[in-house]
Amino acid sequence: KQTLLPLLREETSSFIFPCHPAVQRPELQYMVMELLRCIPLLLFLLFVCVLDHFIFTILSIIQHHSFVQYSYQTSHHLTVNVMGTSVMAELLRGTIGALNTSFDTEVETSNLACLPRPSGMTRQQYRDTCLPLGALALLCLVQVYPFRLRRAIAAFYFPKREKTRVLFLYNKLLRQRKNFLYLQRGRIARQARQPPGLGTWLLQRCRRRWPWLRRFLRRSCTWCGTPETPRHRPCPDPNCGALYCEPCW
């Protein structure tokens, strides 16, 4: 509970607050990993759509520019004329006259039946194809909120285990704060041994000479880096000049 152990600014970013609507830093890592897993599916989908459009374009060009039509016309006329009025002439006209034929042939054909008839995908079909992937990406973004219920469900069914986890977390925070205190002391000590830079020295002189510039030249906490507020306290040593926020002080 916050009344038992108020979290510092650095510790707040490592915890998940269930009632916070925004996606927090620990959840952001898992969300990014899930979104990265969707990238191969997205690339495959783009490849399939581009390949489909490419094949459709080629088949459409073949359909419009490979049409060939053939037209064949022929005419045949055969006439046998037998002259005379004798019996032989009449006999020949009766027999050979049957050979008289006359016909006209006109044939038109094309390769239309052999040409491809491609049909391109509509925008609605492309939209329906990409909709499952969009829903998957949306679930990757929304899944962080149902995952927050896991601790509450586990605490309801295993209250003793929940108490053990809380005690472990409390002791872990104390150890981390102790190590953080040790590291920060060493960092501030090394920073104090170094002479102030030209920019830092000019800022200090301007703040001392013109106090009204302090609202624009705001400093930060030496310990945690919190921007200066009226509750910040300076170090009582006049030669130090370090500024600390209320929790760090």
Side-chain angles (χ1 to χ4, degrees), residues 72-91:
Y72 175 75
Q73 295 179 354
T74 182
S75 179
H76 178 74
H77 299 278
L78 176 62
T79 303
V80 179
N81 296 322
V82 180
M83 308 300 294
T85 58
S86 62
V87 177
M88 184 60 67
E90 294 292 339
L91 180 63

PDB file of all heavy atoms in Angstrom, residues 72-91:
ATOM      1  N   TYR A  72     -12.170 -16.533 -93.114  1.00  0.00           N
ATOM      2  CA  TYR A  72     -11.843 -17.330 -94.307  1.00  0.00           C
ATOM      3  C   TYR A  72     -13.092 -17.423 -95.178  1.00  0.00           C
ATOM      4  O   TYR A  72     -14.168 -17.839 -94.716  1.00  0.00           O
ATOM      5  CB  TYR A  72     -11.376 -18.724 -93.891  1.00  0.00           C
ATOM      6  CG  TYR A  72     -11.132 -19.657 -95.042  1.00  0.00           C
ATOM      7  CD1 TYR A  72      -9.994 -19.526 -95.836  1.00  0.00           C
ATOM      8  CD2 TYR A  72     -12.047 -20.672 -95.330  1.00  0.00           C
ATOM      9  CE1 TYR A  72      -9.773 -20.383 -96.886  1.00  0.00           C
ATOM     10  CE2 TYR A  72     -11.827 -21.533 -96.389  1.00  0.00           C
ATOM     11  CZ  TYR A  72     -10.687 -21.385 -97.167  1.00  0.00           C
ATOM     12  OH  TYR A  72     -10.460 -22.242 -98.221  1.00  0.00           O
ATOM     13  N   GLN A  73     -12.949 -17.020 -96.430  1.00  0.00           N
ATOM     14  CA  GLN A  73     -14.057 -17.044 -97.392  1.00  0.00           C
ATOM     15  C   GLN A  73     -13.591 -17.768 -98.662  1.00  0.00           C
ATOM     16  O   GLN A  73     -12.486 -17.528 -99.157  1.00  0.00           O
ATOM     17  CB  GLN A  73     -14.519 -15.629 -97.751  1.00  0.00           C
ATOM     18  CG  GLN A  73     -15.119 -14.856 -96.593  1.00  0.00           C
ATOM     19  CD  GLN A  73     -15.539 -13.460 -96.990  1.00  0.00           C
ATOM     20  OE1 GLN A  73     -15.290 -13.016 -98.120  1.00  0.00           O
ATOM     21  NE2 GLN A  73     -16.189 -12.760 -96.074  1.00  0.00           N
ATOM     22  N   THR A  74     -14.453 -18.654 -99.228  1.00  0.00           N
ATOM     23  CA  THR A  74     -14.163 -19.370-100.479  1.00  0.00           C
ATOM     24  C   THR A  74     -15.460 -19.564-101.260  1.00  0.00           C
ATOM     25  O   THR A  74     -16.547 -19.640-100.669  1.00  0.00           O
ATOM     26  CB  THR A  74     -13.492 -20.728-100.195  1.00  0.00           C
ATOM     27  OG1 THR A  74     -13.204 -21.357-101.442  1.00  0.00           O
ATOM     28  CG2 THR A  74     -14.409 -21.618 -99.370  1.00  0.00           C
ATOM     29  N   SER A  75     -15.309 -19.663-102.540  1.00  0.00           N
ATOM     30  CA  SER A  75     -16.462 -19.837-103.433  1.00  0.00           C
ATOM     31  C   SER A  75     -16.108 -20.865-104.515  1.00  0.00           C
ATOM     32  O   SER A  75     -15.000 -20.820-105.077  1.00  0.00           O
ATOM     33  CB  SER A  75     -16.843 -18.493-104.081  1.00  0.00           C
ATOM     34  OG  SER A  75     -17.933 -18.668-104.950  1.00  0.00           O
ATOM     35  N   HIS A  76     -17.037 -21.814-104.790  1.00  0.00           N
ATOM     36  CA  HIS A  76     -16.777 -22.888-105.773  1.00  0.00           C
ATOM     37  C   HIS A  76     -18.017 -23.042-106.648  1.00  0.00           C
ATOM     38  O   HIS A  76     -19.137 -23.253-106.149  1.00  0.00           O
ATOM     39  CB  HIS A  76     -16.488 -24.199-105.049  1.00  0.00           C
ATOM     40  CG  HIS A  76     -16.252 -25.336-105.981  1.00  0.00           C
ATOM     41  ND1 HIS A  76     -15.083 -25.474-106.704  1.00  0.00           N
ATOM     42  CD2 HIS A  76     -17.048 -26.397-106.339  1.00  0.00           C
ATOM     43  CE1 HIS A  76     -15.156 -26.572-107.445  1.00  0.00           C
ATOM     44  NE2 HIS A  76     -16.356 -27.152-107.252  1.00  0.00           N
ATOM     45  N   HIS A  77     -17.792 -22.941-107.956  1.00  0.00           N
ATOM     46  CA  HIS A  77     -18.882 -23.079-108.927  1.00  0.00           C
ATOM     47  C   HIS A  77     -18.397 -24.012-110.054  1.00  0.00           C
ATOM     48  O   HIS A  77     -17.338 -23.769-110.650  1.00  0.00           O
ATOM     49  CB  HIS A  77     -19.277 -21.726-109.543  1.00  0.00           C
ATOM     50  CG  HIS A  77     -19.767 -20.740-108.510  1.00  0.00           C
ATOM     51  ND1 HIS A  77     -21.057 -20.747-108.024  1.00  0.00           N
ATOM     52  CD2 HIS A  77     -19.126 -19.720-107.876  1.00  0.00           C
ATOM     53  CE1 HIS A  77     -21.200 -19.787-107.147  1.00  0.00           C
ATOM     54  NE2 HIS A  77     -20.023 -19.132-107.034  1.00  0.00           N
ATOM     55  N   LEU A  78     -19.170 -25.074-110.364  1.00  0.00           N
ATOM     56  CA  LEU A  78     -18.850 -26.034-111.430  1.00  0.00           C
ATOM     57  C   LEU A  78     -20.107 -26.208-112.309  1.00  0.00           C
ATOM     58  O   LEU A  78     -21.176 -26.597-111.802  1.00  0.00           O
ATOM     59  CB  LEU A  78     -18.435 -27.376-110.851  1.00  0.00           C
ATOM     60  CG  LEU A  78     -18.166 -28.486-111.867  1.00  0.00           C
ATOM     61  CD1 LEU A  78     -16.993 -28.099-112.792  1.00  0.00           C
ATOM     62  CD2 LEU A  78     -17.868 -29.815-111.158  1.00  0.00           C
ATOM     63  N   THR A  79     -19.944 -25.899-113.583  1.00  0.00           N
ATOM     64  CA  THR A  79     -21.066 -26.009-114.528  1.00  0.00           C
ATOM     65  C   THR A  79     -20.572 -26.711-115.805  1.00  0.00           C
ATOM     66  O   THR A  79     -19.551 -26.298-116.402  1.00  0.00           O
ATOM     67  CB  THR A  79     -21.615 -24.623-114.896  1.00  0.00           C
ATOM     68  OG1 THR A  79     -22.011 -23.948-113.699  1.00  0.00           O
ATOM     69  CG2 THR A  79     -22.819 -24.742-115.819  1.00  0.00           C
ATOM     70  N   VAL A  80     -21.265 -27.757-116.229  1.00  0.00           N
ATOM     71  CA  VAL A  80     -20.929 -28.522-117.453  1.00  0.00           C
ATOM     72  C   VAL A  80     -22.075 -28.314-118.444  1.00  0.00           C
ATOM     73  O   VAL A  80     -23.247 -28.658-118.153  1.00  0.00           O
ATOM     74  CB  VAL A  80     -20.744 -30.017-117.152  1.00  0.00           C
ATOM     75  CG1 VAL A  80     -20.435 -30.777-118.443  1.00  0.00           C
ATOM     76  CG2 VAL A  80     -19.637 -30.207-116.123  1.00  0.00           C
ATOM     77  N   ASN A  81     -21.767 -27.737-119.560  1.00  0.00           N
ATOM     78  CA  ASN A  81     -22.745 -27.484-120.623  1.00  0.00           C
ATOM     79  C   ASN A  81     -22.511 -28.467-121.773  1.00  0.00           C
ATOM     80  O   ASN A  81     -21.409 -28.540-122.334  1.00  0.00           O
ATOM     81  CB  ASN A  81     -22.649 -26.057-121.128  1.00  0.00           C
ATOM     82  CG  ASN A  81     -23.000 -25.042-120.034  1.00  0.00           C
ATOM     83  OD1 ASN A  81     -23.920 -25.301-119.237  1.00  0.00           O
ATOM     84  ND2 ASN A  81     -22.320 -23.908-120.021  1.00  0.00           N
ATOM     85  N   VAL A  82     -23.503 -29.227-122.117  1.00  0.00           N
ATOM     86  CA  VAL A  82     -23.451 -30.180-123.254  1.00  0.00           C
ATOM     87  C   VAL A  82     -24.332 -29.617-124.378  1.00  0.00           C
ATOM     88  O   VAL A  82     -25.546 -29.397-124.191  1.00  0.00           O
ATOM     89  CB  VAL A  82     -23.959 -31.574-122.832  1.00  0.00           C
ATOM     90  CG1 VAL A  82     -23.897 -32.540-124.036  1.00  0.00           C
ATOM     91  CG2 VAL A  82     -23.114 -32.098-121.671  1.00  0.00           C
ATOM     92  N   MET A  83     -23.742 -29.374-125.530  1.00  0.00           N
ATOM     93  CA  MET A  83     -24.439 -28.789-126.669  1.00  0.00           C
ATOM     94  C   MET A  83     -24.983 -29.910-127.567  1.00  0.00           C
ATOM     95  O   MET A  83     -24.467 -31.026-127.579  1.00  0.00           O
ATOM     96  CB  MET A  83     -23.497 -27.895-127.454  1.00  0.00           C
ATOM     97  CG  MET A  83     -22.771 -26.841-126.597  1.00  0.00           C
ATOM     98  SD  MET A  83     -23.912 -25.704-125.751  1.00  0.00           S
ATOM     99  CE  MET A  83     -24.579 -24.880-127.192  1.00  0.00           C
ATOM    100  N   GLY A  84     -25.974 -29.616-128.232  1.00  0.00           N
ATOM    101  CA  GLY A  84     -26.538 -30.569-129.201  1.00  0.00           C
ATOM    102  C   GLY A  84     -27.927 -31.015-128.820  1.00  0.00           C
ATOM    103  O   GLY A  84     -28.378 -30.819-127.690  1.00  0.00           O
ATOM    104  N   THR A  85     -28.558 -31.710-129.867  1.00  0.00           N
ATOM    105  CA  THR A  85     -29.935 -32.174-129.640  1.00  0.00           C
ATOM    106  C   THR A  85     -30.089 -33.669-129.859  1.00  0.00           C
ATOM    107  O   THR A  85     -31.193 -34.202-129.846  1.00  0.00           O
ATOM    108  CB  THR A  85     -30.880 -31.440-130.593  1.00  0.00           C
ATOM    109  OG1 THR A  85     -30.460 -31.675-131.940  1.00  0.00           O
ATOM    110  CG2 THR A  85     -30.911 -29.941-130.294  1.00  0.00           C
ATOM    111  N   SER A  86     -28.958 -34.349-129.980  1.00  0.00           N
ATOM    112  CA  SER A  86     -29.030 -35.794-130.208  1.00  0.00           C
ATOM    113  C   SER A  86     -29.343 -36.523-128.912  1.00  0.00           C
ATOM    114  O   SER A  86     -29.371 -35.937-127.820  1.00  0.00           O
ATOM    115  CB  SER A  86     -27.702 -36.282-130.796  1.00  0.00           C
ATOM    116  OG  SER A  86     -26.656 -36.046-129.860  1.00  0.00           O
ATOM    117  N   VAL A  87     -29.581 -37.872-129.147  1.00  0.00           N
ATOM    118  CA  VAL A  87     -29.889 -38.693-127.966  1.00  0.00           C
ATOM    119  C   VAL A  87     -28.697 -38.751-127.028  1.00  0.00           C
ATOM    120  O   VAL A  87     -28.840 -38.719-125.804  1.00  0.00           O
ATOM    121  CB  VAL A  87     -30.317 -40.118-128.416  1.00  0.00           C
ATOM    122  CG1 VAL A  87     -30.560 -41.015-127.210  1.00  0.00           C
ATOM    123  CG2 VAL A  87     -31.543 -40.052-129.299  1.00  0.00           C
ATOM    124  N   MET A  88     -27.490 -38.840-127.597  1.00  0.00           N
ATOM    125  CA  MET A  88     -26.278 -38.870-126.760  1.00  0.00           C
ATOM    126  C   MET A  88     -26.129 -37.572-125.968  1.00  0.00           C
ATOM    127  O   MET A  88     -25.743 -37.586-124.776  1.00  0.00           O
ATOM    128  CB  MET A  88     -25.049 -39.101-127.628  1.00  0.00           C
ATOM    129  CG  MET A  88     -23.766 -39.249-126.836  1.00  0.00           C
ATOM    130  SD  MET A  88     -23.814 -40.654-125.688  1.00  0.00           S
ATOM    131  CE  MET A  88     -23.846 -42.005-126.862  1.00  0.00           C
ATOM    132  N   ALA A  89     -26.463 -36.464-126.603  1.00  0.00           N
ATOM    133  CA  ALA A  89     -26.349 -35.179-125.888  1.00  0.00           C
ATOM    134  C   ALA A  89     -27.343 -35.118-124.747  1.00  0.00           C
ATOM    135  O   ALA A  89     -27.040 -34.655-123.639  1.00  0.00           O
ATOM    136  CB  ALA A  89     -26.568 -34.028-126.861  1.00  0.00           C
ATOM    137  N   GLU A  90     -28.559 -35.614-124.993  1.00  0.00           N
ATOM    138  CA  GLU A  90     -29.537 -35.627-123.914  1.00  0.00           C
ATOM    139  C   GLU A  90     -29.101 -36.546-122.774  1.00  0.00           C
ATOM    140  O   GLU A  90     -29.301 -36.234-121.588  1.00  0.00           O
ATOM    141  CB  GLU A  90     -30.894 -36.076-124.476  1.00  0.00           C
ATOM    142  CG  GLU A  90     -31.521 -35.109-125.458  1.00  0.00           C
ATOM    143  CD  GLU A  90     -31.951 -33.831-124.781  1.00  0.00           C
ATOM    144  OE1 GLU A  90     -32.143 -33.823-123.513  1.00  0.00           O
ATOM    145  OE2 GLU A  90     -32.081 -32.782-125.464  1.00  0.00           O
ATOM    146  N   LEU A  91     -28.492 -37.692-123.181  1.00  0.00           N
ATOM    147  CA  LEU A  91     -28.017 -38.617-122.139  1.00  0.00           C
ATOM    148  C   LEU A  91     -26.883 -38.010-121.317  1.00  0.00           C
ATOM    149  O   LEU A  91     -26.839 -38.127-120.086  1.00  0.00           O
ATOM    150  CB  LEU A  91     -27.583 -39.925-122.800  1.00  0.00           C
ATOM    151  CG  LEU A  91     -27.064 -41.019-121.849  1.00  0.00           C
ATOM    152  CD1 LEU A  91     -28.178 -41.446-120.886  1.00  0.00           C
ATOM    153  CD2 LEU A  91     -26.578 -42.243-122.666  1.00  0.00           C
TER     154      LEU A  91
END
